[in-house]
Amino acid sequence: MKRHLPLIAALFISPALGAADLAALWAERINTVVAIEFFTESELDRRPTFSYGTVIDDQGTVILPSAAVNPRATPSQLKDFRVYRPGRPVTAYHAGEYLGQDPLTNWHFIRIEPKGREGLVSITAYAGATPGVPALAEAIWGIGLRKKDEDFAPYFLMGNVAITQSIPRKTALATMDVTGPGLPVFNRTGQFLGLGAVGFGQTFIMFSERARGGQGIVLVDSEECAAFLVAEEILPYLNRIPANVHGRPWAWLGAHGLEPVDPEVARFLNLENQAGLVVSEVLEGSPAEKAGLQERDILLALDGQALPRLKPDAVVAGFVENEINKRAPGDALGLTVLRGTERVELRASLEEAPQTPREADRRYFVQLGLTVRAFTYGDGVARRVKQAEHSGVVAHFVKPNTPISTAGLRTDDWIKEIDGAEIRNFEDAVEKLAAIEADAERAETVILASRGGETAVLRVKLK
């Protein structure tokens, strides 16, 4: 293992805290982490996925990082969750239940069956009286886990804090990898400091002589992290256990494409000393539209509180998204905007977010090799069509080397007509496609599909 030192060689420990003390801290804190295996059942196969998780309460609840689950997979496709204790034989796993994903933190929540909870410790036991705030150059350490064929053996990681930055959630970056994704980080006294995060300070470029034009390959370490979300961004949200697998309720404003104000425009409008976001689009029928928000308005404050000045400027949009996700449908939200040269105060009533593609009804037609799903509000936004034009279904999956793929249908195509009949909704599509599959004598079907604003007629040869 590169860069990983054994406990006895942990030279960063102060004289007051020796290797023996650290070994005791390690032995206690290893009980806050688990390895998770689950299976995603797609139209073609049943594929295992492995992730790491941290225990957050005495009910056996575990949080996994957002990247643990494929965003295209529905909760119904996630099967057979298995929970492993680090270093123990993998034959001794326990069952887990998928609880859902929280829209604010993006964590996935798992609950371990009662008999598998013995000996586990919530990370909150090591949180201290106040959330630990890592200081520049502070020595920190964490836990890494090996793979399944090594019984998820735990190993020690260490480093020092290099920088702490709000992006928009406060994130620290260490001088080297200090933990696994979603696993905890501690200080020298064993206080919980945060959870490993992938994506910040974690990319590497590999250059190859064979790469044309000097292009490199981007590599991301998926097993270890130098970055971690700090404890103050973790502890207040551990109670956000989803009430259902889709994470509902989920607040929605409908201001789309928030972009930082161009520096030259900011100077012209005397906004150099405050953050502002330009509203690119106000979504049809949204709370933002009902509140009177307009395109090209510049958002300056929420509920009277000025937007924070963060670097890079683009992360301010993430701050606004987080503030909305902290609220519930029905909550009022004050918006201060600059419209031209005039400040305007608006008040929006947040609503339940529209159905997402992950929640939409879907069905797989085995003989055709096609999965269709209901057309959602987000599909209309992506295709820039009005709600009155929402119809048809979306091709969620197209099996390769089938007549329907040979005809040219692709994943995410918008199916508008089948055999000359308009497809008004998901039920229409299911009825039509089921009839086609049931007709053994049918030689051809015709599909009208749209992709990138272009519509094409596809003739599918069934025989």
Side-chain angles (χ1 to χ4, degrees):
M1 294 177 218
K2 56 183 173 64
R3 300 176 298 167
H4 308 152
L5 303 183
L7 296 182
I8 58 173
L11 300 180
F12 77 110
I13 302 301
S14 67
L17 186 66
D21 299 302
L22 181 60
L25 296 176
W26 169 273
E28 293 173 344
R29 283 148 184 77
I30 199 65
N31 293 314
T32 65
V33 305
V34 295
I36 303 287
E37 178 184 26
F38 62 92
F39 295 83
T40 304
E41 293 186 353
S42 70
E43 292 83 350
L44 297 180
D45 56 20
R46 174 181 161 93
R47 186 167 301 181
T49 298
F50 299 93
S51 184
Y52 309 137
T54 296
V55 181
I56 63 167
D57 61 26
D58 59 5
Q59 301 301 309
T61 310
V62 175
I63 53 174
L64 306 182
S66 61
V69 178
N70 185 332
R72 287 183 65 87
T74 67
S76 62
Q77 291 178 302
L78 308 179
K79 307 285 187 180
D80 196 13
F81 281 80
R82 302 175 182 182
V83 183
Y84 302 89
R85 299 292 294 276
R88 298 185 183 182
V90 293
T91 54
Y93 64 82
H94 292 278
E97 176 190 3
Y98 181 69
L99 302 180
Q101 183 178 23
D102 172 48
L104 171 61
T105 62
N106 288 319
W107 298 328
H108 296 274
F109 287 74
I110 310 294
R111 181 156 290 151
I112 306 170
E113 64 176 331
K115 63 183 179 181
R117 303 171 190 171
E118 184 177 354
L120 291 175
V121 179
S122 171
I123 195 62
T124 57
Y126 305 115
T130 58
V133 179
L136 185 67
E138 180 177 2
I140 54 177
W141 62 275
I143 301 167
L145 298 181
R146 301 298 288 169
K147 296 183 180 297
K148 183 179 181 180
D149 60 1
E150 298 176 69
D151 291 335
F152 298 109
Y155 58 93
F156 179 82
L157 291 159
M158 69 178 213
N160 296 81
V161 176
I163 189 175
T164 302
Q165 192 171 352
S166 294
I167 54 173
R169 301 176 71 189
K170 189 171 291 186
T171 304
L173 180 66
T175 52
M176 58 181 62
D177 296 332
V178 290
T179 191
L183 297 184
V185 176
F186 305 96
N187 64 13
R188 289 182 291 187
T189 63
Q191 183 178 1
F192 171 63
L193 290 183
L195 292 178
V198 173
F200 176 58
Q202 284 297 115
T203 55
F204 309 89
I205 302 292
M206 180 176 72
F207 292 96
S208 170
E209 293 180 359
R210 296 182 180 180
R212 295 181 179 178
Q215 295 178 350
I217 300 172
V218 177
L219 306 176
V220 177
D221 189 342
S222 61
E223 297 181 7
E224 298 172 1
C225 303
F228 59 95
L229 284 175
V230 303
E232 67 182 46
E233 297 283 2
I234 305 295
L235 296 171
Y237 308 113
L238 295 181
N239 62 349
R240 292 182 61 91
I241 300 173
N244 54 71
V245 292
H246 294 298
R248 300 288 180 172
W250 185 354
W252 178 55
L253 176 63
H256 191 57
L258 299 177
E259 297 289 344
V261 180
D262 180 88
E264 292 187 6
V265 175
R267 283 194 294 271
F268 177 76
L269 296 174
N270 296 318
L271 297 178
E272 302 101 317
N273 297 319
Q274 67 178 97
L277 294 170
V278 180
V279 179
S280 299
E281 184 178 4
V282 178
L283 298 182
E284 181 185 9
S286 69
E289 182 184 64
K290 295 172 184 176
L293 193 67
Q294 298 179 11
E295 294 179 10
R296 295 188 294 279
D297 280 351
I298 299 176
L299 181 62
L300 301 177
L302 299 177
D303 285 336
Q305 297 295 313
L307 301 184
R309 299 189 68 191
L310 302 174
K311 293 296 179 181
D313 294 338
V315 304
V316 180
F319 169 84
V320 172
E321 181 180 356
N322 287 345
E323 287 301 304
I324 294 167
N325 287 333
K326 288 178 183 178
R327 292 162 167 79
D331 287 353
L333 179 64
L335 307 171
T336 302
V337 301
L338 185 66
R339 183 174 296 163
T341 58
E342 180 184 0
R343 289 189 179 233
V344 179
E345 298 292 337
L346 306 173
R347 195 159 186 82
S349 178
L350 300 177
E351 298 177 9
E352 183 72 43
Q355 184 187 55
T356 67
R358 197 165 180 244
E359 299 171 275
D361 291 335
R362 63 191 64 197
R363 180 166 166 178
Y364 180 48
F365 295 90
V366 180
Q367 296 177 36
L368 291 172
L370 171 66
T371 297
V372 295
R373 66 163 173 80
F375 191 91
T376 67
Y377 184 93
D379 293 316
V381 173
R383 291 164 174 80
R384 307 192 70 81
V385 296
K386 297 290 187 181
Q387 282 184 279
E389 301 172 40
H390 289 193
S391 63
V393 290
V394 174
H396 178 75
F397 169 78
V398 180
K399 186 177 180 179
N401 303 316
T402 58
I404 206 161
S405 67
T406 302
L409 192 70
R410 300 289 180 264
T411 299
D412 291 329
D413 282 355
W414 178 14
I415 299 174
K416 296 182 172 183
E417 294 182 8
I418 298 176
D419 291 332
E422 179 187 3
I423 302 300
R424 295 167 297 177
N425 49 43
F426 177 73
E427 291 73 21
D428 276 0
V430 168
E431 181 180 353
K432 276 284 186 185
L433 294 171
I436 291 169
E437 283 210 323
D439 187 353
E441 302 302 317
R442 180 185 286 264
E444 180 184 82
T445 187
V446 179
I447 294 176
L448 182 70
S450 174
R451 182 192 311 153
E454 299 292 330
T455 301
V457 175
L458 308 178
R459 295 190 176 276
V460 183
K461 303 295 183 181
L462 301 175
K463 289 188 176 181

